[in-house]
Amino acid sequence: MKILLVENDAAKREQIEAVLWTELDRDETQIILAVTVNDAMVKIAADRFDLIVVDLVLPQITDGAEVDATEQWCELIEHHLSGRTASWIVMTAHSQVVQSARDSFAQHDVAVVKFDETGSWRQTLAAKVRHSRCTRPLDFVVVCALAKERAGFATAECEIGRSEVLHGLDCQFLSIGDLRGVIVVQPTPGMISAAIVATKALALFRPRALAMSGICGGRGCQTELGALIVPDVSWNYQTGKFVNGELTPDLLQVVVPPNLRATLAQMANAQVSAELRGGLMHSELANAPIQLQPMVSGSQVVADESVSEVIGDQGRKVAGVDMEAASVLFAGQDFFDGSGVYFAAKTVVDLANPEKDDRYHEYGCAVSARFVKRVLLKVLAAPN
């Protein structure tokens, strides 16, 4: 657990640290110190913290006069990723600003603890730290539309943990190396269910990354059976207006973050694709590629080639068709405010025509799960 403690008064800082260490394991905890607002801002921008404990009145810069940092902290919580992925505790010994600060921070569900000589603040801080430890953010959330898609992770050399229902979410916890995460299965397939599940899971687990794993249909003119589609852009192909029986599309697209796209592009190669398929059946799919191309989502299962033609009119490079990816990516874009890590990877198991069947489902679920694991390891285990 990584904690940022922002406090310029050495005596007060020592007392706060003492409380923190009574509640936390020294072998599993790192406390980073900052003594000014600017120093804290730099550290927050450069690192990720599970808990941030800040003083309310402190210097803006080294040797500067003390200022009330309420507005700056609230602005950071509202607009920076740390406001969504870290727990915050605000402390102050200044009685004159306590109530106004509590009113301001209450809008962000952040507690303000009054530091005084009676020592009563110790119990309050200790309780907040215990709660923060129990609700520590996860490293990643994976959303699957189907239980069989989650089962694919059993082939991906992950440590599968407990299963439970949390806040109505069907959760399976797992570890990938030192990374802690959860796979959540939707109650039903589809874009609405995907949007609800992804949004709830992001708010509950506050992860560093959001992914979707599973299977999809493909457009035969752009892909092939067994190909792994990793969409760099996605949209709801059914959005628009019907005029004289025809849809005039109104496309609202979501793209993966540029830095992540570069990483995904590097991983979309023949060697990685072959490694993903090691030990799996269906040797006829062994040479299928990884494709970084658009995938569209809609509310219906597609088994009609004429629908593929309509989709092609919206984007000639569209390779994949599913019922969820766009919703999950939009949820990630909103949560991470356009940065962060959010992506999808789905294996083509049919060509969106009447010949679709289930024969490649298990295979496709395994391939996509293995790729998602690789991406998470690469982008999250990298040094800050």
Side-chain angles (χ1 to χ4, degrees):
M1 187 172 186
K2 184 175 287 188
I3 299 172
L4 177 64
L5 174 56
V6 187
E7 175 57 66
N8 64 309
D9 185 311
K12 183 179 169 186
R13 184 171 62 242
E14 289 177 4
Q15 294 182 65
I16 295 173
E17 280 192 90
V19 174
L20 295 176
W21 287 127
T22 61
E23 299 296 332
L24 301 168
D25 188 331
R26 288 182 179 269
D27 293 333
E28 299 179 355
T29 305
Q30 181 182 10
I31 298 179
I32 308 296
L33 302 177
V35 296
T36 68
V37 174
N38 284 6
D39 187 20
M41 295 286 191
V42 169
K43 288 181 167 63
I44 290 171
D47 209 339
R48 181 180 187 271
F49 298 94
D50 300 299
L51 174 63
I52 300 175
V53 182
V54 298
D55 188 11
L56 193 57
V57 179
L58 72 167
Q60 183 75 40
I61 59 175
T62 303
D63 297 327
E66 291 188 341
V67 297
D68 182 350
T70 297
E71 185 174 337
Q72 293 183 78
W73 295 142
C74 286
E75 181 79 10
L76 193 66
I77 294 168
E78 176 69 23
H79 297 292
H80 191 269
L81 186 58
S82 62
R84 294 180 288 280
T85 61
S87 297
W88 284 69
I89 299 173
V90 178
M91 300 194 67
T92 183
H94 295 263
S95 302
Q96 66 273 23
V97 299
V98 169
Q99 190 53 55
S100 62
R102 284 175 174 160
D103 292 341
S104 296
F105 285 101
Q107 300 177 47
H108 305 286
D109 197 26
V110 172
V112 177
V113 179
K114 175 67 169 65
F115 184 96
D116 56 36
E117 297 303 322
T118 68
S120 60
W121 60 271
R122 289 184 171 86
Q123 289 74 29
T124 304
L125 177 60
K128 296 293 182 183
V129 172
R130 286 194 295 271
H131 179 266
S132 175
R133 184 183 60 200
C134 294
T135 58
R136 177 184 173 190
L138 295 179
D139 292 305
F140 62 88
V141 166
V142 179
V143 175
C144 293
L146 305 168
K148 68 175 74 174
E149 294 173 334
R150 179 165 65 187
F153 283 85
T155 74
E157 298 182 353
C158 303
E159 183 179 338
I160 307 298
R162 70 188 188 280
S163 297
E164 59 183 294
V165 176
L166 293 173
H167 295 261
L169 297 176
D170 177 358
C171 301
Q172 173 85 63
F173 291 88
L174 78 162
S175 299
I176 302 175
D178 294 330
L179 302 176
R180 303 159 50 251
V182 64
I183 309 174
V184 183
V185 173
Q186 297 174 208
T188 58
M191 295 189 70
I192 294 175
S193 178
I196 293 171
V197 166
T199 301
K200 288 179 66 175
L202 287 166
L204 180 62
F205 298 114
R206 297 174 291 157
R208 299 163 59 193
L210 172 68
M212 183 164 215
S213 179
I215 53 180
C216 68
R219 295 181 64 237
C221 59
Q222 287 293 326
T223 189
E224 62 188 78
L225 291 172
L228 183 68
I229 308 300
V230 184
D232 55 349
V233 59
S234 185
W235 64 89
N236 179 355
Y237 70 87
Q238 295 175 317
T239 300
K241 180 179 180 180
F242 273 99
V243 179
N244 297 324
E246 293 187 0
L247 176 68
T248 301
D250 185 8
L251 306 183
L252 178 61
Q253 298 181 331
V254 57
V255 300
V256 298
N259 290 344
L260 177 61
R261 188 193 187 286
T263 298
L264 296 173
Q266 285 190 339
M267 298 178 70
N269 62 66
Q271 179 179 341
V272 171
S273 185
E275 292 170 355
L276 296 176
R277 303 166 198 278
L280 297 178
M281 299 176 63
H282 299 297
S283 58
E284 69 274 20
L285 305 180
N287 295 320
I290 302 172
Q291 296 176 255
L292 193 67
Q293 286 183 230
M295 175 186 292
V296 296
S297 301
S299 59
Q300 302 162 337
V301 175
V302 178
D304 186 338
E305 292 179 340
S306 66
V307 176
S308 178
E309 295 176 4
V310 171
I311 293 171
D313 291 338
Q314 297 181 8
R316 63 185 181 86
K317 291 292 186 179
V318 173
V321 183
D322 84 333
M323 298 171 62
E324 299 87 15
S327 290
V328 173
L329 295 178
F330 271 115
Q333 181 187 62
D334 179 72
F335 181 80
F336 294 112
D337 200 19
S339 59
V341 175
Y342 51 94
F343 68 98
K346 290 197 168 188
T347 308
V348 175
V349 295
D350 64 71
L351 296 178
N353 57 31
E355 300 175 8
K356 64 189 301 166
D357 55 40
D358 296 350
R359 58 183 162 156
Y360 294 134
H361 282 202
E362 183 177 349
Y363 172 91
C365 294
V367 170
S368 60
R370 291 176 177 187
F371 183 79
V372 167
K373 173 204 167 182
R374 282 191 175 221
V375 175
L376 292 172
L377 274 176
K378 186 174 185 65
V379 300
L380 298 183
N384 290 307

